[in-house]
Amino acid sequence: MKVLLVEDDRELAAKVAAALSADGMIVDTVHDGDEAAFVGSTEDYDAAVLDLGLPGQDGVSVLRHWREQGRRLPVLVLTARGRWSDKLASFDAGADDFLTKPFLHEEVALRLRVLKRRALGHSSPILQAGPLSYDANADRFTLDGAPLNLTAQEKRILAYLIQRKDCVVSRNEISEHVYARDLDPDSNTLDVLIGRIRRKLGVPLIQTERGRGFCLTEVDAV
């Protein structure tokens, strides 16, 4: 899961980014509204955490800009402001959730996972593909009921695929959503990772669609 964190308090931003990274997320952090408006409109993210009180454009203006640009990523507003008028302005601009400071860093991670799951149309946090099961809230895979041992990068790739089960996703899509924006892995790196995931699964869940990308589908459908 790739997240854009917009927070002008650098100490708080570092703590939240560390907590989200420890939860297996890729986090890009910006500290002012003007950069946030640009980055959120030009890069692909699974979700965003957005502070309201920012230098440059304020958070509501940033969010309104994203929505006007057609960006539909789930947005969790994170702010010290607890007034109803601030909440109303945030939701009117297109916010999906609102969390008032102080807060538990773990709650930010949980809310982001729920927002992403709902945005993808999954009503349950448990996603299933044949013998493979993924608990989206806990970010945990099991295979035939037993824990599946994956590296952090393998887990991010497999989570992206199972959340889009039966859909072909391109190499670029996978790279954009599982790597930070300052990293640009080559095609061979992704092939190696997909190969390792396939060996750990031991069943033909991940199909290669030549010239298009990869598709995770039920074993019976192969």
Side-chain angles (χ1 to χ4, degrees):
M1 182 174 182
K2 188 175 178 181
V3 176
L4 176 60
L5 171 61
V6 186
E7 171 60 65
D8 66 322
D9 183 330
R10 291 176 182 267
E11 182 178 355
L12 177 60
K15 291 179 179 178
V16 174
L20 297 181
S21 297
D23 204 61
M25 301 182 189
I26 294 294
V27 184
D28 289 340
T29 305
V30 299
H31 302 290
D32 69 80
D34 293 333
E35 184 180 4
F38 174 76
V39 172
S41 297
T42 57
E43 301 283 341
D44 282 329
Y45 292 95
D46 295 302
V49 179
L50 177 65
D51 187 27
L52 291 185
L54 299 168
Q57 299 183 49
D58 63 27
V60 170
S61 298
V62 170
L63 180 51
R64 188 175 293 115
H65 175 78
W66 288 346
R67 297 314 191 208
E68 289 172 351
Q69 294 298 310
R71 311 304 279 187
R72 295 292 173 251
L73 75 166
V75 176
L76 169 62
V77 169
L78 196 68
T79 180
R81 306 174 184 178
R83 297 172 301 186
W84 169 247
S85 58
D86 293 317
K87 293 183 180 182
L88 182 61
S90 299
F91 285 120
D92 283 347
D96 298 277
D97 201 357
F98 193 101
L99 190 57
T100 304
K101 302 172 185 176
F103 52 84
L104 294 175
H105 297 154
E106 295 82 1
E107 184 176 1
V108 178
L110 178 59
R111 289 190 183 221
L112 287 174
R113 292 195 183 283
V114 171
L115 287 177
K116 181 187 177 184
R117 170 169 57 80
R118 290 175 177 170
L120 292 172
H122 301 303
S123 58
S124 169
I126 307 300
L127 307 182
Q128 198 79 29
L132 180 67
S133 180
Y134 177 58
D135 185 332
N137 286 352
D139 191 31
R140 181 171 56 244
F141 280 98
T142 58
L143 187 68
D144 286 323
L148 184 62
N149 185 25
L150 299 166
T151 67
Q153 200 67 282
E154 291 167 356
K155 184 189 292 183
R156 282 191 285 266
I157 292 171
L158 190 55
Y160 190 77
L161 290 173
I162 197 170
Q163 287 166 341
R164 292 155 182 80
K165 187 177 74 169
D166 298 325
C167 296
V168 178
V169 293
S170 70
R171 295 172 181 272
N172 284 341
E173 283 182 81
I174 296 173
S175 296
E176 287 173 356
H177 285 268
V178 302
Y179 290 97
R181 60 182 169 133
D182 56 347
L183 295 177
D184 186 19
D186 59 34
S187 177
N188 184 61
T189 300
L190 183 57
D191 285 333
V192 169
L193 289 168
I194 292 287
R196 289 191 341 210
I197 294 169
R198 281 172 167 153
R199 287 193 293 274
K200 291 181 178 182
L201 291 175
V203 287
L205 287 172
I206 301 176
Q207 306 303 304
T208 299
E209 300 289 335
R210 190 173 299 277
R212 299 175 63 200
F214 303 95
C215 178
L216 187 146
T217 187
E218 300 280 0
V219 176
D220 292 341
V222 177

